[in-house]
Amino acid sequence: MLTGGANAAENPYERGPAPTEASVTATRGTYAVSETRVPRFSVSGFGGGTIYYPTSTDDGTFGAVAISPGYTARQSSIAWLGPRLASQGFVVFTIDTNTTSDQPASRGDQLLAALDYLTKTSSVRSRVDGTRLGVMGHSMGGGGTLEAAKDRPSLKAAIPLTAWNLDKNWPEIRTPTLIVGADGDTVASVRSHSEPFYESLPSSLDRAYLELNNAHHLTPNMSNTTIAKYSISWLKRFIDNDTRYERFLCPLPRPSLSIAEYRGTCPHTA
């Protein structure tokens, strides 16, 4: 797959062809995807998981993202994101946590442990650019995403999905962060969770708040085109520094059948 041309020369991290509305909403991108299972007993610091990665090595190394499930959930609950993101040109690690009741701070530590394993020990470490990493998570895993971003400012992107965390203030975060909430969430309501999370981020940070329309707390556990479109665009823009995806984020998306509200900083500075 060719990524050449002037843009590739200016940005060596661009992967894949120029994006279109069809490409960012497709169930699969242009990369064929392989996967490898990481048994719980073979790692420490988290509960194992599954690595999804582009099969081809023709384009060099890729940015990577670790994804945590929520309270009482296992990696199967967020597995749909693995091949969907990997096929767009990322190495994706959907993890199991040490226990299904682990709290956000622990899940944040586990996301970072998973990234360390991915870049230093895993069988696909040679495919990963260890300087271009991100985190995602659902519910308590989303709360863990915020914790991981706070603890490791070098992360390039964070995407908490209907996140839950007792801590509502995140002024320490320096990682570009896309907060995804759901208008019908009764577990981690946007008023008590996603909105305060977003509003507490530094105003100088590249940040966005996407509130899903006609959605609920478990919406991120199912294949969702809106979540995928904006997650892909955010990860591409900030992990790959691929400004070709800026047009999906700025100007700010307007309310629609799938978007109740979208806020953000535009244009982006990173």
Side-chain angles (χ1 to χ4, degrees), residues 13 20 36 41 54 56 67 69 82 99 124 128 133 144 151 169-170 180 228 230 251 262:
Y13 305 136
T20 63
T36 183
F41 64 79
S56 172
I67 310 177
T99 76
V124 301
V128 180
L133 306 175
D151 292 343
N169 296 297
W170 300 92
V180 179
Y230 292 101
Y262 194 104

Side-chain angles (χ1 to χ4, degrees), residues 168-225:
K168 312 302 180 187
N169 296 297
W170 300 92
E172 316 95 331
I173 288 181
R174 299 294 179 265
T175 298
T177 300
L178 168 63
I179 305 282
V180 179
D183 63 347
D185 193 337
T186 58
V187 177
S189 72
V190 294
R191 180 173 294 183
S192 63
H193 289 75
S194 293
E195 288 183 323
F197 297 158
Y198 171 76
E199 291 165 358
S200 72
L201 295 171
S203 60
S204 59
L205 184 69
D206 286 314
R207 58 177 182 159
Y209 169 73
L210 166 62
E211 185 175 319
L212 302 171
N213 200 17
N214 295 317
H216 52 80
H217 187 66
L218 298 181
T219 293
N221 291 162
M222 299 165 281
S223 180
N224 183 283
T225 298

Side-chain angles (χ1 to χ4, degrees), residues 101-144:
S101 60
D102 288 332
Q103 298 297 297
S106 174
R107 289 172 192 266
D109 291 342
Q110 292 177 63
L111 282 167
L112 297 179
L115 288 176
D116 290 342
Y117 170 84
L118 186 64
T119 57
K120 298 175 183 178
T121 308
S122 76
S123 62
V124 301
R125 61 190 180 278
S126 64
R127 299 172 183 263
V128 180
D129 182 344
T131 68
R132 297 188 293 116
L133 306 175
V135 285
M136 296 178 65
H138 171 242
S139 191
M140 280 195 181

